[in-house]
Amino acid sequence: MTPTTREDCLRRDAADPLAAFRAEFALPENVIYLDGNSLGALPAATPGRVAEVVEREWGRGLIASWNDAGWWDKPRTLGAKLAPLVGAAPDEVVVGDGTSANLFKALVAALRLNPGRRAVVGESTNFPTDLYVTQGAAELMDVVERRVDPDNRAALAAALAAGDVAAVVLSHVDYRTGALRDMAEINRLARANGVLTVWDLCHSVGAVPVELAATGADFAVGCTYKYLNGGPGGPAFTYVAHRHQAAARQPLTGWHGHARPFDFAAEYVPAEGASRFLSGSQSLIAAAALESALDLWARVDLGRLRAKSLALTELFLELTERAGFASVTPRAAARRGSQVSLRHPEGYAIVQALIKRGVVGDFRAPDIMRFGFAPLYLRYVDVYDAAAALADVVRTGEWRDPAFARRRQVT
Amino acid sequence: MTPTTREDCLRRDAADPLAAFRAEFALPENVIYLDGNSLGALPAATPGRVAEVVEREWGRGLIASWNDAGWWDKPRTLGAKLAPLVGAAPDEVVVGDGTSANLFKALVAALRLNPGRRAVVGESTNFPTDLYVTQGAAELMDVVERRVDPDNRAALAAALAAGDVAAVVLSHVDYRTGALRDMAEINRLARANGVLTVWDLCHSVGAVPVELAATGADFAVGCTYKYLNGGPGGPAFTYVAHRHQAAARQPLTGWHGHARPFDFAAEYVPAEGASRFLSGSQSLIAAAALESALDLWARVDLGRLRAKSLALTELFLELTERAGFASVTPRAAARRGSQVSLRHPEGYAIVQALIKRGVVGDFRAPDIMRFGFAPLYLRYVDVYDAAAALADVVRTGEWRDPAFARRRQVT
């Protein structure tokens, strides 16, 4: 294969059907942002939308905005806007609370739907909050917790076939390696074994087409502040398949999840549908930022998004392989999310040196450099320049600067 | 007593030591806002602070703001700023999640600290989310739920003395009547009976000085969007007394509550202190609005706040009693929060007619008209004019307009 040149990249950008979206983001100058898998960039329309909610809906509308500005129904209207991005019906998704709380709610609900089974299966190296919330829920529900490597199909199949497994908690895309799991196959396998699935979509929604309903997923949760660009720490979402909505019982039974919240009744009666997964009031200011992002997403063709995502990661893999880097991200397109993770013993310092050059990725212990590719605001030429900068940082040894020595790092 | 005149009120406003705070709020014109007990008004500094976080910290700082802008520690820094308002040490309060989720966490932690006891006591007519979350936690923990009227001291004493009670969940101020409970006395009573207290401060924080530590409270939760003016649906807080911090175990064990979150360890180990009550990432945009409000609160003398609050509610009670209205709010100052609730069979329509006149209160079924008095932005003359408008709406019968017939209403 002829090596890709910078001119090739400029040509691909000129022909990119998604190229116009880049202008809809307020990106800092002289930065190539490859960390949209951790915190998505700011949509240019968002500051105005947030200001509108703060100044007009809150400041002038005050309490009347609960009705007049649609605040009360916001978890449902945002859920309906998010639903197409995860292959769900509009009434299968609600927005609110954080990923950790939602995972707890979904997992407890799944365990209650399978009361005769006393085990839950998680991933050996899932994102920590998934591990810890699963531990916490398992302790409370008095079920056994087991862990398996979901990329080892035989091991996963054996774990799901144990006979006593009520639910399995899996990330659709692995946060370290970027491996994309076969949701359809795993859902089939789980269902054949009487196991309910609880998917974490944090690292796939907005990067990979997700087909929850078509593949038969039972529950799912995810955050909105990575590829979806909903704002730092923005509200998470919960998917509840239609077939479970009538029977599912989650434990955080706040009044927003009540069947008739305005009756102020003495006893809890769960709402119809996914609304029963709501608990209490949610920030309407945070919701404004997310809504602005979702309105942008409504114009995105997910097929084109996926095609560009794969082209960007393929390009970065090609260029970094040529420069001698080792990847832990699957080489097969069908097994890859929208990130590339490279292994290097000095990864931490190299990532810091790259940031200093304006190429922003991140690092995950012990030796993984993560680079996320958000197709809405990244250009092919950015990928080229980032790979060149990476090779240069290693070639020159500039990462040895003591300023790049290890300090605390967050997601 | 000589009836208070409008001129008296203007004189009191001129002498009010808190009068200058009114200019720090962006209030709509021609509105007397008596619903700050439901949704507090917008501080004038907040839009700028929110825009700064959106455009600079998120838009330009991107992922680096988790460290550079103090995002990671925001639940603790906001908690420390809130702590003086509830009589807590800075490290006894964390901010994040909603009131419902925090009540669930605190109550489960309290029940776990008292494992030999198998009952929880709640209020007969607490705010619904308190009732429902207590039900949900009781079901999950397999403890019996009992309810009592906490304003009936003999009944409360008997309930706490039953011998099998692990925890009691109480609102500091009743959301309907505005009755203020004697936190010191109830904490003594609870402790004498081996019962742990879980206080809901939603309707007292920012209206009444709260002395959690001095009165020996065990746990407390509350919202920030009522008297604190932290923004619609803004993040809630959790108080964990120092003496419980080492042993308390909450069930929503997300990675933000881990002892060493950046180790990405396989097993959950709770953080030191109140941080173990954290779960996952929280909206930094919502946090910006709250921080702006808390910075204003740092300049408020709580003694003066309480004195003005009592003077405002006393004035409203005097004026409405003179007009023939019946109150369900305690007449004794020591038993009163910062709201006055009047009873009227046509309360719903009367409240709507008042809103039409620019006097904003709210209604709680079956017949309660609620009026909240936020001392930072309400004037004595507002109280006078509101009472006059109320009397006028009833005298003229303008509430009979079909436009004021019942529809859905939210908190």
Side-chain angles (χ1 to χ4, degrees), chain A residues 86 170-172 183 199-205 210 212 220-223 237 239:
Chain A
V86 294
L170 294 172
S171 279
H172 191 199
M183 185 180 281
W199 288 97
D200 179 340
L201 307 179
C202 284
H203 291 84
S204 61
V205 62
V210 183
L212 290 172
V221 301
C223 76
F237 62 89
Y239 159 86

PDB file of all heavy atoms in Angstrom, chain A residues 86 170-172 183 199-205 210 212 220-223 237 239:
ATOM      1  N   VAL A  86     -29.185   5.330  19.804  1.00  0.00           N
ATOM      2  CA  VAL A  86     -28.912   4.021  20.403  1.00  0.00           C
ATOM      3  C   VAL A  86     -29.878   2.961  19.883  1.00  0.00           C
ATOM      4  O   VAL A  86     -29.976   1.871  20.446  1.00  0.00           O
ATOM      5  CB  VAL A  86     -28.967   4.088  21.957  1.00  0.00           C
ATOM      6  CG1 VAL A  86     -27.825   4.962  22.477  1.00  0.00           C
ATOM      7  CG2 VAL A  86     -30.308   4.590  22.471  1.00  0.00           C
ATOM      8  N   LEU A 170     -21.918  -5.241  30.703  1.00  0.00           N
ATOM      9  CA  LEU A 170     -20.832  -5.154  29.725  1.00  0.00           C
ATOM     10  C   LEU A 170     -20.729  -3.754  29.135  1.00  0.00           C
ATOM     11  O   LEU A 170     -21.746  -3.087  28.925  1.00  0.00           O
ATOM     12  CB  LEU A 170     -21.089  -6.130  28.565  1.00  0.00           C
ATOM     13  CG  LEU A 170     -21.062  -7.614  28.885  1.00  0.00           C
ATOM     14  CD1 LEU A 170     -21.538  -8.404  27.670  1.00  0.00           C
ATOM     15  CD2 LEU A 170     -19.658  -8.060  29.290  1.00  0.00           C
ATOM     16  N   SER A 171     -19.504  -3.339  28.849  1.00  0.00           N
ATOM     17  CA  SER A 171     -19.303  -2.120  28.079  1.00  0.00           C
ATOM     18  C   SER A 171     -19.326  -2.465  26.596  1.00  0.00           C
ATOM     19  O   SER A 171     -18.693  -3.442  26.180  1.00  0.00           O
ATOM     20  CB  SER A 171     -17.958  -1.479  28.432  1.00  0.00           C
ATOM     21  OG  SER A 171     -18.071  -0.745  29.629  1.00  0.00           O
ATOM     22  N   HIS A 172     -20.028  -1.639  25.834  1.00  0.00           N
ATOM     23  CA  HIS A 172     -20.115  -1.886  24.391  1.00  0.00           C
ATOM     24  C   HIS A 172     -18.739  -1.690  23.738  1.00  0.00           C
ATOM     25  O   HIS A 172     -18.318  -2.476  22.902  1.00  0.00           O
ATOM     26  CB  HIS A 172     -21.153  -0.940  23.789  1.00  0.00           C
ATOM     27  CG  HIS A 172     -21.537  -1.260  22.386  1.00  0.00           C
ATOM     28  ND1 HIS A 172     -22.146  -0.348  21.558  1.00  0.00           N
ATOM     29  CD2 HIS A 172     -21.411  -2.387  21.650  1.00  0.00           C
ATOM     30  CE1 HIS A 172     -22.372  -0.897  20.380  1.00  0.00           C
ATOM     31  NE2 HIS A 172     -21.941  -2.138  20.412  1.00  0.00           N
ATOM     32  N   MET A 183     -22.671  -6.735  20.032  1.00  0.00           N
ATOM     33  CA  MET A 183     -23.868  -6.659  20.865  1.00  0.00           C
ATOM     34  C   MET A 183     -24.922  -7.673  20.449  1.00  0.00           C
ATOM     35  O   MET A 183     -25.568  -8.301  21.294  1.00  0.00           O
ATOM     36  CB  MET A 183     -24.444  -5.240  20.815  1.00  0.00           C
ATOM     37  CG  MET A 183     -25.621  -5.041  21.736  1.00  0.00           C
ATOM     38  SD  MET A 183     -26.297  -3.362  21.676  1.00  0.00           S
ATOM     39  CE  MET A 183     -25.139  -2.479  22.708  1.00  0.00           C
ATOM     40  N   TRP A 199     -26.089  -2.987  29.319  1.00  0.00           N
ATOM     41  CA  TRP A 199     -24.985  -2.447  28.528  1.00  0.00           C
ATOM     42  C   TRP A 199     -24.585  -1.057  28.999  1.00  0.00           C
ATOM     43  O   TRP A 199     -25.445  -0.213  29.260  1.00  0.00           O
ATOM     44  CB  TRP A 199     -25.380  -2.374  27.044  1.00  0.00           C
ATOM     45  CG  TRP A 199     -25.447  -3.706  26.373  1.00  0.00           C
ATOM     46  CD1 TRP A 199     -26.561  -4.477  26.157  1.00  0.00           C
ATOM     47  CD2 TRP A 199     -24.334  -4.438  25.833  1.00  0.00           C
ATOM     48  NE1 TRP A 199     -26.203  -5.642  25.511  1.00  0.00           N
ATOM     49  CE2 TRP A 199     -24.849  -5.651  25.298  1.00  0.00           C
ATOM     50  CE3 TRP A 199     -22.964  -4.197  25.741  1.00  0.00           C
ATOM     51  CZ2 TRP A 199     -24.041  -6.608  24.683  1.00  0.00           C
ATOM     52  CZ3 TRP A 199     -22.154  -5.142  25.133  1.00  0.00           C
ATOM     53  CH2 TRP A 199     -22.694  -6.333  24.616  1.00  0.00           C
ATOM     54  N   ASP A 200     -23.301  -0.817  29.033  1.00  0.00           N
ATOM     55  CA  ASP A 200     -22.757   0.518  29.264  1.00  0.00           C
ATOM     56  C   ASP A 200     -22.293   1.060  27.915  1.00  0.00           C
ATOM     57  O   ASP A 200     -21.372   0.510  27.297  1.00  0.00           O
ATOM     58  CB  ASP A 200     -21.594   0.445  30.259  1.00  0.00           C
ATOM     59  CG  ASP A 200     -20.970   1.808  30.517  1.00  0.00           C
ATOM     60  OD1 ASP A 200     -21.149   2.728  29.688  1.00  0.00           O
ATOM     61  OD2 ASP A 200     -20.284   1.954  31.543  1.00  0.00           O
ATOM     62  N   LEU A 201     -22.946   2.137  27.466  1.00  0.00           N
ATOM     63  CA  LEU A 201     -22.677   2.691  26.132  1.00  0.00           C
ATOM     64  C   LEU A 201     -21.778   3.921  26.171  1.00  0.00           C
ATOM     65  O   LEU A 201     -21.651   4.633  25.160  1.00  0.00           O
ATOM     66  CB  LEU A 201     -24.009   3.054  25.455  1.00  0.00           C
ATOM     67  CG  LEU A 201     -25.072   1.947  25.398  1.00  0.00           C
ATOM     68  CD1 LEU A 201     -26.332   2.477  24.731  1.00  0.00           C
ATOM     69  CD2 LEU A 201     -24.550   0.724  24.652  1.00  0.00           C
ATOM     70  N   CYS A 202     -21.151   4.191  27.308  1.00  0.00           N
ATOM     71  CA  CYS A 202     -20.370   5.429  27.451  1.00  0.00           C
ATOM     72  C   CYS A 202     -19.393   5.643  26.305  1.00  0.00           C
ATOM     73  O   CYS A 202     -19.251   6.764  25.819  1.00  0.00           O
ATOM     74  CB  CYS A 202     -19.602   5.426  28.771  1.00  0.00           C
ATOM     75  SG  CYS A 202     -20.654   5.782  30.203  1.00  0.00           S
ATOM     76  N   HIS A 203     -18.713   4.589  25.891  1.00  0.00           N
ATOM     77  CA  HIS A 203     -17.679   4.748  24.877  1.00  0.00           C
ATOM     78  C   HIS A 203     -18.120   4.350  23.476  1.00  0.00           C
ATOM     79  O   HIS A 203     -17.297   4.219  22.580  1.00  0.00           O
ATOM     80  CB  HIS A 203     -16.416   3.978  25.293  1.00  0.00           C
ATOM     81  CG  HIS A 203     -15.740   4.604  26.474  1.00  0.00           C
ATOM     82  ND1 HIS A 203     -16.129   4.338  27.764  1.00  0.00           N
ATOM     83  CD2 HIS A 203     -14.755   5.526  26.579  1.00  0.00           C
ATOM     84  CE1 HIS A 203     -15.381   5.041  28.608  1.00  0.00           C
ATOM     85  NE2 HIS A 203     -14.551   5.773  27.920  1.00  0.00           N
ATOM     86  N   SER A 204     -19.441   4.164  23.293  1.00  0.00           N
ATOM     87  CA  SER A 204     -19.914   3.863  21.935  1.00  0.00           C
ATOM     88  C   SER A 204     -20.946   4.865  21.429  1.00  0.00           C
ATOM     89  O   SER A 204     -20.938   5.205  20.248  1.00  0.00           O
ATOM     90  CB  SER A 204     -20.474   2.436  21.851  1.00  0.00           C
ATOM     91  OG  SER A 204     -21.571   2.248  22.710  1.00  0.00           O
ATOM     92  N   VAL A 205     -21.786   5.395  22.307  1.00  0.00           N
ATOM     93  CA  VAL A 205     -22.844   6.284  21.813  1.00  0.00           C
ATOM     94  C   VAL A 205     -22.225   7.544  21.204  1.00  0.00           C
ATOM     95  O   VAL A 205     -21.360   8.180  21.789  1.00  0.00           O
ATOM     96  CB  VAL A 205     -23.849   6.624  22.943  1.00  0.00           C
ATOM     97  CG1 VAL A 205     -23.200   7.371  24.097  1.00  0.00           C
ATOM     98  CG2 VAL A 205     -25.026   7.408  22.393  1.00  0.00           C
ATOM     99  N   VAL A 210     -25.570   2.184  17.408  1.00  0.00           N
ATOM    100  CA  VAL A 210     -25.954   1.227  18.453  1.00  0.00           C
ATOM    101  C   VAL A 210     -27.376   0.783  18.135  1.00  0.00           C
ATOM    102  O   VAL A 210     -28.229   1.614  17.825  1.00  0.00           O
ATOM    103  CB  VAL A 210     -25.905   1.887  19.852  1.00  0.00           C
ATOM    104  CG1 VAL A 210     -26.222   0.863  20.931  1.00  0.00           C
ATOM    105  CG2 VAL A 210     -24.548   2.543  20.103  1.00  0.00           C
ATOM    106  N   LEU A 212     -29.868  -1.118  20.081  1.00  0.00           N
ATOM    107  CA  LEU A 212     -30.340  -1.788  21.292  1.00  0.00           C
ATOM    108  C   LEU A 212     -31.581  -2.632  21.028  1.00  0.00           C
ATOM    109  O   LEU A 212     -31.617  -3.809  21.391  1.00  0.00           O
ATOM    110  CB  LEU A 212     -30.640  -0.750  22.380  1.00  0.00           C
ATOM    111  CG  LEU A 212     -29.423  -0.042  22.985  1.00  0.00           C
ATOM    112  CD1 LEU A 212     -29.876   1.099  23.899  1.00  0.00           C
ATOM    113  CD2 LEU A 212     -28.536  -1.024  23.756  1.00  0.00           C
ATOM    114  N   ALA A 220     -29.764  -0.586  29.205  1.00  0.00           N
ATOM    115  CA  ALA A 220     -28.503   0.072  28.867  1.00  0.00           C
ATOM    116  C   ALA A 220     -28.440   1.415  29.576  1.00  0.00           C
ATOM    117  O   ALA A 220     -29.478   2.006  29.902  1.00  0.00           O
ATOM    118  CB  ALA A 220     -28.365   0.260  27.360  1.00  0.00           C
ATOM    119  N   VAL A 221     -27.232   1.852  29.822  1.00  0.00           N
ATOM    120  CA  VAL A 221     -27.001   3.183  30.390  1.00  0.00           C
ATOM    121  C   VAL A 221     -25.824   3.799  29.640  1.00  0.00           C
ATOM    122  O   VAL A 221     -25.077   3.100  28.958  1.00  0.00           O
ATOM    123  CB  VAL A 221     -26.667   3.121  31.900  1.00  0.00           C
ATOM    124  CG1 VAL A 221     -27.790   2.454  32.669  1.00  0.00           C
ATOM    125  CG2 VAL A 221     -25.343   2.397  32.147  1.00  0.00           C
ATOM    126  N   GLY A 222     -25.668   5.092  29.789  1.00  0.00           N
ATOM    127  CA  GLY A 222     -24.519   5.725  29.159  1.00  0.00           C
ATOM    128  C   GLY A 222     -24.446   7.187  29.541  1.00  0.00           C
ATOM    129  O   GLY A 222     -25.423   7.762  30.030  1.00  0.00           O
ATOM    130  N   CYS A 223     -23.289   7.769  29.311  1.00  0.00           N
ATOM    131  CA  CYS A 223     -23.124   9.184  29.608  1.00  0.00           C
ATOM    132  C   CYS A 223     -23.281   9.987  28.333  1.00  0.00           C
ATOM    133  O   CYS A 223     -23.339   9.437  27.232  1.00  0.00           O
ATOM    134  CB  CYS A 223     -21.781   9.445  30.272  1.00  0.00           C
ATOM    135  SG  CYS A 223     -20.395   9.418  29.130  1.00  0.00           S
ATOM    136  N   PHE A 237     -28.124   8.600  30.707  1.00  0.00           N
ATOM    137  CA  PHE A 237     -29.420   8.092  30.239  1.00  0.00           C
ATOM    138  C   PHE A 237     -29.586   6.628  30.606  1.00  0.00           C
ATOM    139  O   PHE A 237     -28.624   5.944  30.948  1.00  0.00           O
ATOM    140  CB  PHE A 237     -29.571   8.289  28.725  1.00  0.00           C
ATOM    141  CG  PHE A 237     -28.561   7.554  27.886  1.00  0.00           C
ATOM    142  CD1 PHE A 237     -28.805   6.258  27.445  1.00  0.00           C
ATOM    143  CD2 PHE A 237     -27.356   8.150  27.525  1.00  0.00           C
ATOM    144  CE1 PHE A 237     -27.873   5.574  26.670  1.00  0.00           C
ATOM    145  CE2 PHE A 237     -26.420   7.482  26.751  1.00  0.00           C
ATOM    146  CZ  PHE A 237     -26.680   6.186  26.328  1.00  0.00           C
ATOM    147  N   TYR A 239     -31.807   3.133  29.213  1.00  0.00           N
ATOM    148  CA  TYR A 239     -32.671   2.467  28.227  1.00  0.00           C
ATOM    149  C   TYR A 239     -33.328   1.276  28.900  1.00  0.00           C
ATOM    150  O   TYR A 239     -32.665   0.469  29.563  1.00  0.00           O
ATOM    151  CB  TYR A 239     -31.825   1.990  27.040  1.00  0.00           C
ATOM    152  CG  TYR A 239     -32.458   0.894  26.208  1.00  0.00           C
ATOM    153  CD1 TYR A 239     -33.344   1.187  25.162  1.00  0.00           C
ATOM    154  CD2 TYR A 239     -32.161  -0.447  26.449  1.00  0.00           C
ATOM    155  CE1 TYR A 239     -33.914   0.179  24.399  1.00  0.00           C
ATOM    156  CE2 TYR A 239     -32.726  -1.468  25.683  1.00  0.00           C
ATOM    157  CZ  TYR A 239     -33.604  -1.149  24.662  1.00  0.00           C
ATOM    158  OH  TYR A 239     -34.164  -2.151  23.909  1.00  0.00           O
TER     159      TYR A 239
END
